[in-house]
Amino acid sequence: MNPARPCLALLAALLGACAGMPAPPPGTQVSAAQVASAIRPGESTRASLLASLGPTHKVRFDSGYEAWLYQLAVPGAGFDEIVVLLDAQGVVRKMRRRSHISGPAGEPIR
């Protein structure tokens, strides 16, 4: 028997197990207290968000504006999505919270 076969079989099983795991929603997870204290439209800046909440998924627009995505865990309901709009100077202009973007662990994002 080829000694590489058991290793390949084990590798295939491990990769298959990883493929079946649900991916977490995009964005850094934050607490409600962090959101309340760190995100203040007209006051908070790119630097203050990075210091308070850490790096996250970002979308940059040609205008220089950026949308930053954070996730707020909601027990038994999945996550709320927090989207922060920063202007070209790096100041928070708007914040939006969308409720219950996914169900309990394992359910897809709607």
Side-chain angles (χ1 to χ4, degrees):
M1 178 175 194
N2 184 346
R5 278 190 190 239
C7 291
L8 288 174
L10 178 62
L11 180 61
L14 290 173
L15 288 174
C18 290
M21 293 179 185
T28 300
Q29 292 185 20
V30 295
S31 69
Q34 286 176 300
V35 169
S37 67
I39 305 174
R40 295 176 311 278
E43 296 177 27
S44 301
T45 64
R46 182 181 294 117
S48 69
L49 289 180
L50 282 172
S52 300
L53 305 177
T56 191
H57 182 77
K58 302 170 190 164
V59 177
R60 184 178 249 300
F61 300 97
D62 291 340
S63 63
Y65 276 66
E66 295 179 7
W68 290 22
L69 177 66
Y70 292 98
Q71 301 296 330
L72 178 63
V74 178
F79 295 89
D80 282 1
E81 177 182 73
I82 307 294
V83 178
V84 181
L85 182 67
L86 294 99
D87 64 20
Q89 290 73 40
V91 177
V92 173
R93 288 293 152 211
K94 294 182 181 182
M95 180 191 82
R96 178 184 62 112
R97 180 175 177 171
R98 190 174 86 177
S99 297
H100 312 302
I101 63 163
S102 66
E107 290 186 19
I109 297 175
R110 290 184 251 153

